[in-house]
Protein backbone atom coordinates (compact mmCIF):
# COMPACT_ATOMS: atom_id res chain seq x y z
CA UNK A 1 0.00 0.00 0.00
CA UNK A 2 2.87 2.39 0.69
CA UNK A 3 4.05 2.01 -2.89
CA UNK A 4 0.51 2.56 -4.18
CA UNK A 5 0.05 5.78 -2.22
CA UNK A 6 3.52 6.92 -3.27
CA UNK A 7 2.52 6.49 -6.93
CA UNK A 8 -0.72 8.42 -6.36
CA UNK A 9 1.13 11.18 -4.52
CA UNK A 10 3.70 11.46 -7.32
CA UNK A 11 0.95 11.61 -9.94
CA UNK A 12 -0.84 14.44 -8.18
CA UNK A 13 2.30 16.41 -7.36
CA UNK A 14 3.32 16.28 -11.02
CA UNK A 15 -0.24 17.17 -12.08
CA UNK A 16 -0.20 20.19 -9.78
CA UNK A 17 3.21 21.21 -11.12
CA UNK A 18 2.02 20.91 -14.72
CA UNK A 19 -1.06 22.99 -13.91
CA UNK A 20 1.08 25.68 -12.25
CA UNK A 21 3.45 25.88 -15.24
CA UNK A 22 0.46 26.12 -17.59
CA UNK A 23 -0.97 28.99 -15.57
CA UNK A 24 2.36 30.82 -15.58
CA UNK A 25 2.54 30.52 -19.36
CA UNK A 26 -1.05 31.54 -20.07
CA UNK A 27 -2.10 33.92 -17.31
CA UNK A 28 -0.54 37.06 -18.77
CA UNK A 29 -2.30 36.80 -22.13
CA UNK A 30 -5.38 34.66 -21.45
CA UNK A 31 -8.43 35.46 -19.28
CA UNK A 32 -7.89 33.91 -15.81
CA UNK A 33 -10.94 31.63 -16.07
CA UNK A 34 -9.81 30.21 -19.43
CA UNK A 35 -6.21 29.78 -18.24
CA UNK A 36 -7.45 27.96 -15.16
CA UNK A 37 -9.64 25.65 -17.26
CA UNK A 38 -6.71 24.74 -19.50
CA UNK A 39 -4.46 24.13 -16.47
CA UNK A 40 -7.15 21.90 -14.96
CA UNK A 41 -7.29 19.87 -18.19
CA UNK A 42 -3.49 19.56 -18.29
CA UNK A 43 -3.45 18.27 -14.70
CA UNK A 44 -6.13 15.73 -15.61
CA UNK A 45 -4.08 14.47 -18.55
CA UNK A 46 -1.06 13.98 -16.28
CA UNK A 47 -3.19 11.84 -13.94
CA UNK A 48 -4.54 9.98 -16.98
CA UNK A 49 -0.99 9.09 -18.05
CA UNK A 50 -0.45 7.52 -14.62
CA UNK A 51 -3.76 5.67 -14.95
CA UNK A 52 -2.50 4.15 -18.21
CA UNK A 53 0.93 3.34 -16.75
CA UNK A 54 -0.63 1.57 -13.77
CA UNK A 55 -3.49 0.12 -15.87
CA UNK A 56 -5.95 1.48 -13.30
CA UNK A 57 -8.40 4.35 -13.90
CA UNK A 58 -9.17 4.53 -10.17
CA UNK A 59 -6.00 6.58 -9.87
CA UNK A 60 -8.20 9.48 -10.95
CA UNK A 61 -10.80 9.02 -8.17
CA UNK A 62 -9.31 11.47 -5.60
CA UNK A 63 -9.13 14.21 -8.26
CA UNK A 64 -12.79 15.04 -7.56
CA UNK A 65 -12.03 16.18 -4.01
CA UNK A 66 -8.41 17.34 -4.46
CA UNK A 67 -8.75 19.68 -7.45
CA UNK A 68 -11.17 22.25 -5.93
CA UNK A 69 -8.65 23.30 -3.26
CA UNK A 70 -5.93 24.60 -5.67
CA UNK A 71 -8.73 26.11 -7.79
CA UNK A 72 -9.91 28.02 -4.72
CA UNK A 73 -6.34 29.11 -3.93
CA UNK A 74 -5.97 30.41 -7.48
CA UNK A 75 -8.95 32.75 -6.99
CA UNK A 76 -7.90 33.74 -3.48
CA UNK A 77 -4.56 35.02 -4.72
CA UNK A 78 -5.78 36.89 -7.77
CA UNK A 79 -4.71 40.57 -7.82
CA UNK A 80 -8.27 41.78 -7.17
CA UNK A 81 -8.82 39.58 -4.12
CA UNK A 82 -8.01 40.35 -0.50
CA UNK A 83 -7.37 36.64 0.03
CA UNK A 84 -7.54 35.16 3.50
CA UNK A 85 -7.67 38.63 5.06
CA UNK A 86 -11.41 38.52 4.28
CA UNK A 87 -13.53 36.63 6.84
CA UNK A 88 -16.01 35.60 4.16
CA UNK A 89 -13.22 34.09 2.10
CA UNK A 90 -11.94 32.19 5.13
CA UNK A 91 -15.40 30.77 5.86
CA UNK A 92 -15.91 29.50 2.30
CA UNK A 93 -12.37 28.14 2.02
CA UNK A 94 -12.58 26.31 5.36
CA UNK A 95 -15.88 24.68 4.38
CA UNK A 96 -14.35 23.64 1.04
CA UNK A 97 -11.26 22.19 2.75
CA UNK A 98 -13.42 20.35 5.29
CA UNK A 99 -15.38 18.74 2.46
CA UNK A 100 -12.22 17.94 0.48
CA UNK A 101 -10.36 16.45 3.45
CA UNK A 102 -13.27 14.23 4.51
CA UNK A 103 -13.93 12.94 1.00
CA UNK A 104 -10.24 12.32 0.27
CA UNK A 105 -9.72 10.48 3.57
CA UNK A 106 -12.81 8.40 2.87
CA UNK A 107 -11.37 7.47 -0.54
CA UNK A 108 -8.00 6.54 1.03
CA UNK A 109 -9.68 4.31 3.63
CA UNK A 110 -11.58 2.38 0.98
CA UNK A 111 -8.88 2.14 -1.66
CA UNK A 112 -7.06 -1.21 -1.73
CA UNK A 113 -4.08 -0.28 -3.87
CA UNK A 114 -3.09 -0.34 -7.52
CA UNK A 115 -4.66 -3.77 -7.99
CA UNK A 116 -8.08 -2.38 -7.00
CA UNK A 117 -10.21 -0.66 -9.62
CA UNK A 118 -13.76 0.68 -9.26
CA UNK A 119 -16.36 -1.86 -10.46
CA UNK A 120 -17.85 0.76 -12.77
CA UNK A 121 -14.56 1.13 -14.61
CA UNK A 122 -14.21 -2.63 -14.84
CA UNK A 123 -17.65 -2.84 -16.44
CA UNK A 124 -16.72 -0.10 -18.91
CA UNK A 125 -13.45 -1.89 -19.67
CA UNK A 126 -15.35 -5.10 -20.53
CA UNK A 127 -17.90 -3.34 -22.73
CA UNK A 128 -15.49 -1.08 -24.66
CA UNK A 129 -12.60 -3.48 -25.31
CA UNK A 130 -9.72 -1.88 -27.21
CA UNK A 131 -11.42 1.52 -27.07
CA UNK A 132 -11.30 1.52 -23.28
CA UNK A 133 -8.51 4.04 -22.77
CA UNK A 134 -10.11 6.59 -25.10
CA UNK A 135 -13.39 6.13 -23.21
CA UNK A 136 -11.48 6.39 -19.93
CA UNK A 137 -9.84 9.66 -20.99
CA UNK A 138 -13.09 11.25 -22.12
CA UNK A 139 -15.61 9.72 -19.72
CA UNK A 140 -13.75 8.75 -16.55
CA UNK A 141 -11.15 11.53 -16.47
CA UNK A 142 -12.11 14.62 -18.48
CA UNK A 143 -15.88 14.55 -17.99
CA UNK A 144 -15.68 14.61 -14.15
CA UNK A 145 -13.00 17.30 -14.39
CA UNK A 146 -15.38 19.45 -16.43
CA UNK A 147 -18.21 18.84 -13.94
CA UNK A 148 -16.05 19.73 -10.95
CA UNK A 149 -14.79 22.82 -12.75
CA UNK A 150 -18.40 23.89 -13.39
CA UNK A 151 -19.19 23.33 -9.72
CA UNK A 152 -16.17 25.43 -8.78
CA UNK A 153 -17.44 28.38 -10.82
CA UNK A 154 -19.18 29.45 -7.61
CA UNK A 155 -15.74 30.04 -6.10
CA UNK A 156 -14.82 32.60 -8.76
CA UNK A 157 -16.92 35.57 -7.59
CA UNK A 158 -16.85 34.47 -3.95
CA UNK A 159 -13.07 34.30 -3.55
CA UNK A 160 -11.70 36.76 -6.11
CA UNK A 161 -13.46 39.86 -4.74
CA UNK A 162 -12.34 42.45 -2.21
CA UNK A 163 -13.96 43.83 0.92
CA UNK A 164 -17.21 41.81 0.80
CA UNK A 165 -18.46 41.46 4.41
CA UNK A 166 -20.27 38.48 5.89
CA UNK A 167 -24.05 38.76 5.84
CA UNK A 168 -27.05 36.85 7.13
CA UNK A 169 -27.50 35.12 3.78
CA UNK A 170 -23.93 33.83 4.10
CA UNK A 171 -24.98 32.20 7.35
CA UNK A 172 -27.70 30.26 5.56
CA UNK A 173 -25.27 29.24 2.80
CA UNK A 174 -22.74 28.10 5.42
CA UNK A 175 -25.38 26.03 7.25
CA UNK A 176 -26.43 24.28 4.03
CA UNK A 177 -22.82 23.61 3.01
CA UNK A 178 -21.83 22.33 6.45
CA UNK A 179 -24.98 20.21 6.67
CA UNK A 180 -24.05 18.63 3.33
CA UNK A 181 -20.60 17.66 4.62
CA UNK A 182 -22.11 16.21 7.81
CA UNK A 183 -24.75 14.25 5.87
CA UNK A 184 -22.07 12.69 3.67
CA UNK A 185 -19.87 11.84 6.67
CA UNK A 186 -22.72 10.33 8.72
CA UNK A 187 -24.04 8.36 5.74
CA UNK A 188 -20.62 6.88 4.98
CA UNK A 189 -20.07 5.95 8.64
CA UNK A 190 -23.51 4.38 8.98
CA UNK A 191 -23.03 2.27 5.86
CA UNK A 192 -19.58 1.20 7.05
CA UNK A 193 -21.08 -0.05 10.33
CA UNK A 194 -23.89 -1.78 8.44
CA UNK A 195 -21.49 -3.65 6.15
CA UNK A 196 -19.37 -5.11 8.96
CA UNK A 197 -22.36 -6.42 10.94
CA UNK A 198 -23.30 -10.10 10.48
CA UNK A 199 -26.26 -10.58 8.14
CA UNK A 200 -28.34 -12.07 10.96
CA UNK A 201 -28.01 -8.86 12.98
CA UNK A 202 -29.06 -6.52 10.18
CA UNK A 203 -32.52 -5.03 10.21
CA UNK A 204 -34.92 -4.85 7.26
CA UNK A 205 -33.43 -1.48 6.29
CA UNK A 206 -29.93 -0.02 6.52
CA UNK A 207 -29.54 2.31 9.51
CA UNK A 208 -30.18 6.02 9.91
CA UNK A 209 -30.05 8.14 6.78
CA UNK A 210 -30.10 5.06 4.56
CA UNK A 211 -33.61 4.25 5.74
CA UNK A 212 -34.76 7.66 4.45
CA UNK A 213 -32.79 7.79 1.19
CA UNK A 214 -31.21 5.02 -0.88
CA UNK A 215 -28.32 7.36 -1.68
CA UNK A 216 -27.90 9.89 1.16
CA UNK A 217 -24.19 10.24 0.36
CA UNK A 218 -25.08 11.39 -3.16
CA UNK A 219 -27.74 13.72 -1.73
CA UNK A 220 -25.12 15.28 0.55
CA UNK A 221 -22.68 15.68 -2.34
CA UNK A 222 -25.23 17.49 -4.51
CA UNK A 223 -26.29 19.63 -1.55
CA UNK A 224 -22.67 20.70 -1.02
CA UNK A 225 -22.42 22.24 -4.51
CA UNK A 226 -25.75 24.00 -4.01
CA UNK A 227 -24.41 25.36 -0.73
CA UNK A 228 -21.44 26.91 -2.52
CA UNK A 229 -23.84 28.43 -5.04
CA UNK A 230 -25.91 30.01 -2.25
CA UNK A 231 -22.83 32.07 -1.36
CA UNK A 232 -22.97 33.48 -4.89
CA UNK A 233 -26.60 34.52 -4.48
CA UNK A 234 -25.78 36.07 -1.12
CA UNK A 235 -23.17 38.53 -2.39
CA UNK A 236 -22.84 38.34 -6.18
CA UNK A 237 -26.28 37.74 -7.73
CA UNK A 238 -25.02 39.02 -11.10
CA UNK A 239 -23.19 35.68 -11.30
CA UNK A 240 -26.49 33.78 -11.03
CA UNK A 241 -25.50 31.86 -14.17
CA UNK A 242 -22.94 29.87 -12.19
CA UNK A 243 -25.99 27.78 -11.26
CA UNK A 244 -24.81 25.66 -14.19
CA UNK A 245 -22.43 24.00 -11.70
CA UNK A 246 -24.92 22.60 -9.16
CA UNK A 247 -27.37 21.81 -11.98
CA UNK A 248 -24.66 19.76 -13.72
CA UNK A 249 -23.98 17.91 -10.46
CA UNK A 250 -27.67 17.20 -9.99
CA UNK A 251 -27.92 15.89 -13.56
CA UNK A 252 -24.85 13.68 -13.06
CA UNK A 253 -26.13 11.98 -9.93
CA UNK A 254 -29.78 11.68 -10.97
CA UNK A 255 -29.05 10.74 -14.58
CA UNK A 256 -25.89 8.64 -14.33
CA UNK A 257 -24.56 7.75 -10.88
CA UNK A 258 -27.80 6.69 -9.19
CA UNK A 259 -29.21 4.65 -12.12
CA UNK A 260 -25.85 2.88 -12.53
CA UNK A 261 -25.66 2.07 -8.82
CA UNK A 262 -29.29 0.94 -8.76
CA UNK A 263 -28.74 -1.52 -11.61
CA UNK A 264 -25.59 -2.85 -9.94
CA UNK A 265 -27.22 -3.40 -6.55
CA UNK A 266 -30.41 -4.86 -8.00
CA UNK A 267 -28.38 -7.40 -9.96
CA UNK A 268 -26.32 -8.25 -6.87
CA UNK A 269 -29.23 -8.42 -4.38
CA UNK A 270 -32.35 -8.92 -6.53
CA UNK A 271 -34.90 -9.71 -3.81
CA UNK A 272 -33.73 -7.58 -0.89
CA UNK A 273 -32.84 -4.53 -2.98
CA UNK A 274 -36.15 -4.61 -4.84
CA UNK A 275 -37.92 -4.43 -1.48
CA UNK A 276 -35.57 -1.64 -0.42
CA UNK A 277 -36.47 0.26 -3.60
CA UNK A 278 -40.18 -0.09 -2.84
CA UNK A 279 -39.82 1.29 0.66
CA UNK A 280 -37.13 3.99 0.52
CA UNK A 281 -36.86 7.23 -1.45
CA UNK A 282 -34.21 7.09 -4.21
CA UNK A 283 -32.61 10.47 -3.49
CA UNK A 284 -34.38 13.06 -1.33
CA UNK A 285 -34.58 11.95 2.32
CA UNK A 286 -38.14 10.92 3.16
CA UNK A 287 -39.69 8.63 5.80
CA UNK A 288 -39.70 5.01 4.58
CA UNK A 289 -42.92 3.35 3.49
CA UNK A 290 -44.21 0.83 6.05
CA UNK A 291 -44.11 -2.90 5.47
CA UNK A 292 -47.35 -4.47 4.11
CA UNK A 293 -48.31 -5.82 7.55
CA UNK A 294 -47.64 -2.41 9.08
CA UNK A 295 -49.84 -0.79 6.43
CA UNK A 296 -52.60 -3.26 7.26
CA UNK A 297 -52.37 -2.37 10.95
CA UNK A 298 -52.56 1.33 10.11
CA UNK A 299 -55.64 0.75 7.93
CA UNK A 300 -57.40 -0.85 10.86
Amino acid sequence: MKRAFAVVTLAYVLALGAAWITLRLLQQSWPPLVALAVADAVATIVVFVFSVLTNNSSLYDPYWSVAPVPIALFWLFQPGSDGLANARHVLIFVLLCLWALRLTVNWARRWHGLEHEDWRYMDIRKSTGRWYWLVSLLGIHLMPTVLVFLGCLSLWPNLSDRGTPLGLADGLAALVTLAAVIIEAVADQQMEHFRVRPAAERGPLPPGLWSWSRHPNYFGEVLFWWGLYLFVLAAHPAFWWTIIGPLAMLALFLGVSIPMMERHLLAKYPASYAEYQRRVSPFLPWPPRPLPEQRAELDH
Side-chain angles (χ1 to χ4, degrees), residues 277-289:
Q277 286 178 317
R278 283 191 289 270
R279 295 191 59 195
V280 179
S281 167
F283 182 65
L284 292 173
W286 196 259
R289 298 179 183 89

Side-chain angles (χ1 to χ4, degrees), residues 266-280:
L266 193 58
K268 193 173 183 179
Y269 311 103
S272 59
Y273 199 76
E275 178 61 26
Y276 184 48
Q277 286 178 317
R278 283 191 289 270
R279 295 191 59 195
V280 179

Side-chain angles (χ1 to χ4, degrees), residues 97-232:
C97 288
L98 181 63
W99 165 83
L101 179 63
R102 192 214 67 82
L103 199 56
T104 306
V105 169
N106 190 60
W107 164 82
R109 286 172 53 200
R110 295 185 175 186
W111 193 49
H112 303 300
L114 295 174
E115 296 74 27
H116 171 75
E117 189 173 36
D118 190 288
W119 60 266
R120 284 161 285 216
Y121 308 158
M122 294 174 68
D123 287 349
I124 294 171
R125 188 187 289 266
K126 291 175 184 175
S127 63
T128 56
R130 62 193 182 94
W131 297 103
Y132 172 69
W133 284 113
L134 177 61
V135 174
S136 178
L137 172 62
L138 298 176
I140 297 175
H141 290 75
L142 287 175
M143 187 192 75
T145 289
V146 170
L147 290 170
V148 171
F149 189 82
L150 292 177
C152 288
L153 287 176
S154 296
L155 300 174
W156 176 19
N158 282 323
L159 299 181
S160 61
D161 59 355
R162 181 180 294 276
T164 305
L166 279 168
L168 290 176
D170 291 316
L172 174 62
L175 285 175
V176 171
T177 308
L178 180 61
V181 176
I182 292 172
I183 288 170
E184 285 191 273
V186 171
D188 285 341
Q189 195 64 32
Q190 288 175 340
M191 182 51 66
E192 195 67 28
H193 288 162
F194 180 72
R195 284 172 174 163
V196 299
R197 292 178 65 183
E201 297 180 10
R202 297 178 183 177
L205 294 177
L209 294 171
W210 297 89
S211 65
W212 285 56
S213 168
R214 299 202 297 270
H215 304 281
N217 52 338
Y218 291 168
F219 172 76
E221 181 66 17
V222 172
L223 188 64
F224 171 78
W225 297 101
W226 282 99
L228 289 185
Y229 177 69
L230 289 179
F231 281 107
V232 175

Side-chain angles (χ1 to χ4, degrees), residues 73-85:
L73 289 171
F74 173 80
W75 293 121
L76 280 170
F77 293 103
Q78 284 296 294
S81 172
D82 48 7
L84 294 175

